[in-house]
Amino acid sequence: DFLVACTLLSSYKKGGTVSCKKKDVLELKLEEYTGYADALTRGFIEAEKLLEEERIFSSKDLPYSTQLIPLAVICTLLEENNRIKIANNKNKIKQWYWCGVFGELYGGANETRFVYDVVGVMNWIEKDGELPRTVKESYFNPTRLLTLQSRLSAAYKGVMALILKNHCKDFISGREMDFAVYKSENPDIHHIFPKDYCEKQCYSKEKWNSVINKTPITYSTNREIGGVAPSKYLVRIEAKGQVDSEELNTYLKSHWIDVESCRNDDFNSHIVHRAKMLLNAIENATGKSISGKDSDEVVKLFGVELN
């Protein structure tokens, strides 16, 4: 990855046709590598900082490792004269990044996309040029939420990062799931309506096991939840004197969870409310409106429109 990034950076700096295919990597000259390696290292560090701002704290939570290559090169180019610190520049990079994640555009062979994203994002930032191709091409189908079932998917990891970015708080401790909590308590992704409960109620696995019904919480809190209905585990948490009702409600809302639906074990309303909230968050991250929220397919799967 570092060699591909270095080839991409060197090629861009030459000012001609930008390329970073395997043959270009093999043709990278020693003086080009030594000339750019230190700056590129700083670029990767800046990329890490930017990802942490977006609540991506570890490699296992990184939606696409491949997208880190153009991201690091862009950060390197902007780090040269401190332009990486300018809010407008960072916001454009973040918008491009999330369009890649939720458009699921970095899953295949990516050398060509690396090139037009670095050229496109730099043109967008430096000359306020047209939108990069990844931003233009990014599209998210609302029904995709139901097929995001595991962290093997980039968009699944992206949704979890957006929940963390909403300053979500642990149900019991009330601590925000920031970098410190992540390192000390290693929160994981768990069901809101628990798996055992959903299976007993014969709810659709497509819904209860989807990203819509999942959220990051600590292991100790998940153990407290168990496999019972939300109304029961919320009362159990309160009864133990760990948090009062109103405060617990604010913790739930920080995860975009509908309090009334959980308190009343209304699974379908919970799914619809949270799907709407997640779609809004994706729209905010990508800077693009999501079409099809009122489609026949959406109504068939969710029972209502998701507008």
Side-chain angles (χ1 to χ4, degrees), residues 17-71:
T17 301
V18 183
S19 181
C20 62
K21 296 186 186 303
K22 288 182 175 66
K23 66 178 181 63
D24 302 306
V25 177
L26 289 170
E27 290 170 3
L28 181 70
K29 293 180 170 58
L30 176 60
E31 57 268 25
E32 291 170 337
Y33 176 84
T34 54
Y36 292 119
D38 289 347
L40 184 59
T41 300
R42 294 192 295 274
F44 269 97
I45 292 168
E46 286 297 331
E48 180 190 20
K49 290 177 185 175
L50 192 141
L51 290 172
E52 284 187 359
E53 286 180 22
E54 299 305 286
R55 297 301 192 270
I56 298 167
F57 297 135
S58 74
S59 58
K60 74 180 174 69
D61 297 318
L62 186 66
Y64 287 120
S65 59
T66 47
Q67 200 176 1
L68 189 56
I69 293 171
L71 176 61

Side-chain angles (χ1 to χ4, degrees), residues 1 5 59 104 119 165 248 254:
D1 286 355
S59 58
E104 298 184 272
V119 173
K165 198 180 172 191
L248 181 52
S254 73

Side-chain angles (χ1 to χ4, degrees), residues 20-245:
C20 62
K21 296 186 186 303
K22 288 182 175 66
K23 66 178 181 63
D24 302 306
V25 177
L26 289 170
E27 290 170 3
L28 181 70
K29 293 180 170 58
L30 176 60
E31 57 268 25
E32 291 170 337
Y33 176 84
T34 54
Y36 292 119
D38 289 347
L40 184 59
T41 300
R42 294 192 295 274
F44 269 97
I45 292 168
E46 286 297 331
E48 180 190 20
K49 290 177 185 175
L50 192 141
L51 290 172
E52 284 187 359
E53 286 180 22
E54 299 305 286
R55 297 301 192 270
I56 298 167
F57 297 135
S58 74
S59 58
K60 74 180 174 69
D61 297 318
L62 186 66
Y64 287 120
S65 59
T66 47
Q67 200 176 1
L68 189 56
I69 293 171
L71 176 61
V73 173
I74 292 164
C75 289
T76 303
L77 292 166
L78 292 175
E79 200 262 345
E80 285 175 353
N81 45 17
N82 231 20
R83 289 177 295 166
I84 192 66
K85 308 293 185 191
I86 297 171
N88 284 345
N89 294 346
K90 283 172 71 173
N91 289 339
K92 285 181 175 179
I93 295 171
K94 289 175 181 180
Q95 183 183 352
W96 158 76
Y97 181 79
W98 287 120
C99 283
V101 170
F102 289 111
E104 298 184 272
L105 296 170
Y106 268 84
N110 295 296
E111 290 93 345
T112 304
R113 189 170 292 277
F114 294 163
V115 170
Y116 63 63
D117 272 351
V118 168
V119 173
V121 171
M122 291 305 295
N123 182 55
W124 188 29
I125 289 172
E126 293 183 329
K127 301 174 184 174
D128 204 23
E130 63 177 321
L131 293 174
R133 198 187 303 184
T134 289
V135 176
K136 287 183 188 175
E137 292 178 353
S138 180
Y139 169 75
F140 189 85
N141 188 323
T143 61
R144 179 70 175 115
L145 289 175
L146 290 172
T147 58
L148 297 175
Q149 300 268 326
S150 77
R151 60 157 43 103
L152 295 174
S153 160
Y156 179 100
K157 295 178 182 180
V159 168
M160 288 302 137
L162 294 186
I163 296 168
L164 290 170
K165 198 180 172 191
N166 193 51
H167 308 288
C168 66
K169 296 181 177 179
D170 186 66
F171 295 172
I172 292 178
S173 69
R175 293 179 67 191
E176 184 184 329
M177 302 278 192
D178 57 13
F179 188 65
V181 169
Y182 187 92
K183 285 297 183 187
S184 63
E185 299 190 39
N186 193 27
D188 206 351
I189 299 162
H190 298 288
H191 297 91
I192 299 163
F193 274 65
K195 174 184 175 181
D196 288 352
Y197 171 76
C198 290
E199 287 180 333
K200 286 173 185 171
Q201 299 298 315
C202 298
Y203 292 144
S204 162
K205 184 178 181 181
E206 183 181 40
K207 289 182 178 177
W208 66 252
N209 198 46
S210 75
V211 74
I212 304 168
N213 186 45
K214 293 178 182 177
T215 208
I217 47 178
T218 61
Y219 170 76
S220 57
T221 295
N222 185 57
R223 191 172 53 190
E224 193 72 53
I225 286 172
V228 299
S231 62
K232 290 186 177 178
Y233 73 66
L234 293 174
V235 169
R236 181 194 296 162
I237 290 171
E238 291 162 5
K240 290 197 170 184
Q242 293 158 316
V243 61
D244 65 43
S245 179

